[in-house]
Amino acid sequence: ATRQVAYESAGTNLLQYVAGNSGGSIVGVNTLYAYGTIRLNPKLNSTELQQIWESPGHTTIVGSRFQWGDIHYQNREWSTPELDGINGNGVALFGDTFPNIVSQDFTENFYHYTAYGYHTWQIADPFSVTVGLDYDWLHKPANVSTTPFTEQKQAIVQFSPKAGFIWQPFEKTTFRGAYTHSLSGIANGSSARIEPTEVAGFNQAYRSLMPEPVAGDTSGSKFDTFNFSLEQKFDTGTYLSVAGQLLYAKLRNMFGGFVFYADQLDTNNQPTYPSGFNQTMDYHEQSLILTADQLLGKQWAVGVVYRLSRAKYNQNYPGINNPLYDPTTDPGFQPYKDETSMLNTLNLHANWNHPCGLFSILSANWYHQDNFGFSSPEPGDDFWQFDIYAGYRLFHRRMEFTVGLLNIFDQNYKLEPLNLYNETARNRTFLARLRISF
């Protein structure tokens, strides 16, 4: 398979980081505003071979995947007498004029090899265990997506254990738990796979755990996931569950920037060196999910889902000593971030299903978020949204036609993207959907 996703941007106030180098150390960082055009064009190829063996009580899966491709980088930045490379303090960094700051046009290759094995053992009728191990070798650009780009490379080798269990001590009681360690790929590499995406019914295949609006591209992140759930059914048609989830991600990469040498700072039109700064990012999210559903006769069901999520994001530049940072005059560069978001979500739903195939769904969703530690105040939000659907299923549920009205009362919202959540409609939206299963 071949996938291609292009990104292009142009701006009149492109923000870049500029650092001074004295004696081999980064001694300060400031911000540069310039004109610029940026284009990234990644291409991904993927091939995978898998073998499955099944016997009474045992299932074994082994496989190997190889992904390769390239990223075509194009970046041009320039200044004019009007803009003049002004930094956050209003100081010209390039003298009177500096018409061409940087011009880049090159292609970098990447490679990702994975070998994996999984084994599920049904130890007894009510208890099964799954164990697995991945080996990853990833060779990628050290700076995947931040300007100015660099031709430096990064290699990551990782062994990733997996383990999970499913236990049914009683006919209507189920315990499940899982731990996974993983390495993300490049571009959409995590989506192009036939390797098992779940362990004990819990997802382990993430393109990114760190929200990309917060952290940007996170190719090469290391993931750890912990999941646990208890599910209980009752003869009254009641279904209850409680689940917990811990998600951890960390990334060590390079962030694009310019480096000036101290002995050249007094010269006019001094050269710039597209390089970068070592960057560390850590993301943690802890979630608690409670669900309750009740059957009402043969056609109706009502339910509630409550989720509490606490997300924490840390960012640091460990190679920078004594950064010249004043948040009042230079808001573009933050040497350290320690941000936290708390998100409460509540879903109330009522479903109607008729034997002839007609169905309808009414859903009410509440969101409440509080944020802490942001350099500029992030008040979060508190709001409700209501959705309604109606449709028809036919051909033994192989075909389904649905129409719906999302965000009935046209309620927009302002949620900090630090928490993982399904983005909802920002205004009143009509939905029409046709599903066909073969």
Side-chain angles (χ1 to χ4, degrees):
T2 301
R3 296 169 180 262
Q4 178 174 331
V5 180
Y7 167 77
E8 187 168 358
S9 175
T12 58
N13 281 310
L14 183 64
L15 179 64
Q16 298 278 229
Y17 293 163
V18 182
N21 185 304
S22 178
S25 298
I26 302 297
V27 296
V29 178
N30 215 318
T31 52
L32 159 74
Y33 292 93
Y35 294 99
T37 59
I38 307 165
R39 181 176 176 83
L40 282 75
N41 188 9
K43 297 180 181 179
L44 170 70
N45 305 278
S46 180
T47 181
E48 187 168 354
L49 178 66
Q50 185 182 98
Q51 176 66 49
I52 302 175
W53 291 279
E54 292 183 291
S55 62
H58 295 271
T59 300
T60 302
I61 302 173
V62 296
S64 179
R65 179 173 62 253
F66 182 59
Q67 296 179 335
W68 72 99
D70 59 63
I71 305 176
H72 184 196
Y73 292 103
Q74 294 173 290
N75 174 38
R76 180 172 177 261
E77 299 175 37
W78 67 95
S79 181
T80 67
E82 294 80 18
L83 193 59
D84 200 16
I86 298 299
N87 71 2
N89 298 316
V91 178
L93 295 175
F94 300 112
D96 294 331
T97 61
F98 199 91
N100 188 20
I101 299 173
V102 65
S103 180
Q104 298 177 300
D105 188 345
F106 62 93
T107 299
E108 289 294 323
N109 298 321
F110 61 85
Y111 308 94
H112 189 184
Y113 173 73
T114 303
Y116 57 85
Y118 294 81
H119 183 77
T120 299
W121 180 18
Q122 190 75 38
I123 299 176
D125 286 341
F127 188 71
S128 67
V129 173
T130 299
V131 294
L133 182 66
D134 277 18
Y135 167 79
D136 286 284
W137 174 78
L138 176 63
H139 184 81
K140 70 178 188 70
N143 170 15
V144 175
S145 63
T146 54
T147 58
F149 305 116
T150 176
E151 298 184 36
Q152 297 184 51
K153 302 293 184 62
Q154 181 184 28
I156 303 173
V157 176
Q158 177 174 298
F159 288 91
S160 303
K162 331 273 186 177
F165 72 89
I166 300 176
W167 179 35
Q168 290 185 285
F170 308 104
E171 181 183 359
K172 298 181 180 180
T173 304
T174 303
F175 291 93
R176 296 186 296 125
Y179 162 75
T180 67
H181 187 57
S182 307
L183 179 69
S184 71
I186 302 288
N188 294 327
S190 299
S191 302
R193 57 185 281 174
I194 58 176
E195 177 186 352
T197 58
E198 296 181 349
V199 174
F202 296 107
N203 182 37
Q204 66 152 341
Y206 294 91
R207 174 180 172 179
S208 174
L209 287 181
M210 301 184 199
E212 292 185 355
V214 176
D217 183 273
T218 58
S219 300
S221 297
K222 298 182 179 182
F223 301 154
D224 287 281
T225 69
F226 301 83
N227 292 273
F228 177 80
S229 75
L230 167 61
E231 300 148 19
Q232 179 66 52
K233 304 177 184 177
F234 296 92
D235 294 334
T236 57
T238 305
Y239 299 78
L240 302 177
S241 75
V242 55
Q245 183 180 65
L246 303 177
L247 303 177
Y248 298 91
K250 62 181 179 180
L251 177 64
R252 307 295 182 261
N253 68 343
M254 178 173 287
F255 192 92
F258 295 97
V259 177
F260 291 75
Y261 286 85
D263 58 355
Q264 297 173 329
L265 291 178
D266 294 331
T267 63
N268 191 24
N269 292 346
Q270 65 273 89
T272 63
Y273 298 89
S275 180
F277 321 121
N278 291 325
Q279 183 186 54
T280 66
M281 293 184 285
D282 294 275
Y283 177 81
H284 303 157
E285 185 181 54
Q286 299 87 36
S287 302
L288 174 67
I289 304 101
L290 306 174
T291 68
D293 288 278
Q294 178 65 53
L295 296 177
L296 302 176
K298 296 182 178 180
Q299 300 183 16
W300 286 91
V302 295
V304 56
V305 180
Y306 171 73
R307 182 175 186 266
L308 173 63
S309 164
R310 178 182 182 272
K312 186 178 181 65
Y313 175 70
N314 297 97
Q315 175 186 291
N316 196 11
Y317 298 89
I320 298 176
N321 300 319
N322 301 319
L324 304 176
Y325 172 59
D326 182 351
T328 61
T329 60
D330 191 10
F333 175 73
Q334 292 181 264
Y336 182 74
K337 290 184 180 181
D338 187 3
E339 303 168 342
T340 302
S341 292
M342 298 283 294
L343 178 64
N344 295 265
T345 61
L346 181 69
N347 168 261
L348 306 174
H349 54 270
N351 301 348
W352 172 70
N353 291 276
H354 193 272
C356 74
L358 291 172
F359 69 92
S360 65
I361 303 171
L362 177 62
S363 175
N365 300 280
W366 172 68
Y367 299 81
H368 177 85
Q369 186 183 57
D370 297 296
N371 301 302
F372 312 92
F374 288 80
S375 58
S376 58
E378 293 285 346
D381 208 344
D382 188 301
F383 64 96
W384 283 87
Q385 280 195 1
F386 297 86
D387 307 323
I388 188 169
Y389 307 86
Y392 183 64
R393 300 185 181 102
L394 63 161
F395 300 128
H396 303 286
R397 294 179 175 263
R398 289 189 175 91
M399 180 179 292
E400 176 185 304
F401 178 69
T402 306
V403 294
L405 189 61
L406 311 180
N407 195 357
I408 296 175
F409 298 105
D410 201 25
Q411 174 68 53
N412 197 3
Y413 59 91
K414 296 180 179 179
L415 291 178
E416 172 62 40
L418 203 58
N419 298 100
L420 299 177
Y421 63 91
N422 293 324
E423 187 171 356
T424 61
R426 293 188 172 274
N427 46 43
R428 190 180 296 112
T429 303
F430 174 76
L431 166 74
R433 179 176 60 207
L434 176 64
R435 287 180 175 175
I436 302 176
S437 302
F438 296 95

